Amino acid sequence: MDLILKYFPNLSDDQIEKFSRLESLYKDWNLKINVVSRKDIDELYLRHVLHALAIAKLIQFKDGSKLLDVGTGGGFPGIPLAILFPECSFHLVDSIAKKLKVVDEVVAGLELTNVKTTHSRVEAINDTYDFIISRAVAAMPTFVHWVKGKIAKQQNNDLKNGILYLKGGDLTEELKTYKTATVYNLSDYYTEDFFETKKLVHLPLKFRG
């Protein structure tokens, strides 16, 4: 928890309390339904929570923003961001039901009212969002294809509507056709070695009406 406060010192008491409870909730549920590896659960705040919150180092979502978390797995990056932005709505989608069972229990345990979950492939979701967030579920061309037509027309934030994608390694090849993509190094935000090769990609996408 100290790691979160190191980079996000202005959290409210309620946010601190919710972030503090994350570890015990995940450890408890992970014993029943394994969604996070043993090594990762022991470093939950570094490898999952802080990683997810890197998006908040780039953008402070305006109240009322709608976000879709594709392939949320155990609830990342959606749940940490939902704690940080209680006035935004988060839709967490995954095609694997057992993962969403854990997400639903964590959401209930934290009493988060701004999160909904759907067991589905993202292509079947019929709604539009300011941003589509995710953590390395596919190569960018595949991901862009999946989320086609899901970007809202109205621009509410300082960053253009589109994809915010957490990924690692050399992205040159998969981003070469996306001239508007901007890549941010997480090592610019965080000093821990874990983030040395981690990146955040912002790819603006136009509304397709």
Side-chain angles (χ1 to χ4, degrees):
M1 187 56 214
D2 290 344
L3 197 56
I4 306 303
L5 288 169
K6 174 182 172 184
Y7 292 105
F8 296 90
N10 301 319
L11 297 176
S12 68
D13 290 345
D14 181 62
Q15 288 170 323
I16 290 169
E17 193 254 342
K18 283 182 165 68
F19 277 123
S20 298
R21 282 165 57 202
L22 271 182
E23 186 171 44
S24 59
L25 281 167
Y26 273 107
K27 282 190 169 173
D28 183 40
W29 275 100
N30 213 54
L31 292 172
K32 301 168 195 166
I33 306 171
N34 188 261
V35 293
V36 180
S37 74
R38 176 66 196 273
K39 186 177 182 183
D40 280 5
I41 204 85
D42 288 339
E43 294 190 73
L44 185 79
Y45 288 104
L46 174 71
R47 291 170 173 262
H48 292 283
V49 183
L50 200 58
H51 192 201
L53 294 177
I55 290 172
K57 286 294 184 185
L58 178 63
I59 176 173
Q60 291 290 302
F61 297 117
K62 298 279 172 64
D63 289 357
S65 295
K66 284 177 66 183
L67 298 102
L68 175 67
D69 180 358
V70 175
T72 189
F76 302 99
I79 286 178
L81 290 170
I83 296 172
L84 201 61
F85 299 104
E87 300 303 320
C88 298
S89 59
F90 291 82
H91 187 181
L92 279 51
V93 175
D94 206 286
S95 59
I96 300 171
K98 72 167 190 175
K99 291 184 177 180
L100 284 181
K101 167 75 174 160
V102 174
V103 173
D104 286 337
E105 295 296 343
V106 171
V107 167
L110 294 175
E111 298 176 9
L112 289 174
T113 57
N114 60 334
V115 175
K116 73 170 182 175
T117 63
T118 303
H119 173 223
S120 168
R121 293 179 61 82
V122 67
E123 298 95 319
I125 301 294
N126 292 314
D127 205 351
T128 59
Y129 304 84
D130 298 289
F131 291 98
I132 295 167
I133 57 176
S134 191
R135 256 195 341 176
V137 291
M140 190 61 94
T142 305
F143 192 76
V144 170
H145 178 71
W146 287 350
V147 302
K148 207 171 176 184
K150 300 188 196 325
I151 294 295
K153 188 174 187 176
Q154 180 81 31
Q155 297 275 342
N156 299 313
N157 288 274
D158 298 334
L159 211 58
K160 284 184 179 172
N161 290 2
I163 292 169
L164 290 166
Y165 208 44
L166 290 161
K167 207 145 193 229
D170 186 356
L171 305 176
T172 315
E173 189 61 33
E174 69 178 88
L175 293 179
K176 67 180 181 185
T177 56
Y178 302 106
K179 304 301 180 200
T180 57
T182 308
V183 181
Y184 300 87
N185 295 314
L186 299 199
S187 57
D188 291 343
Y189 308 138
Y190 302 138
T191 57
E192 287 72 19
D193 291 345
F194 175 73
F195 298 107
E196 211 167 282
T197 59
K198 301 282 190 289
K199 297 179 173 68
L200 171 59
V201 181
H202 173 232
L203 178 61
L205 290 180
K206 287 194 169 64
F207 169 78
R208 300 262 184 259

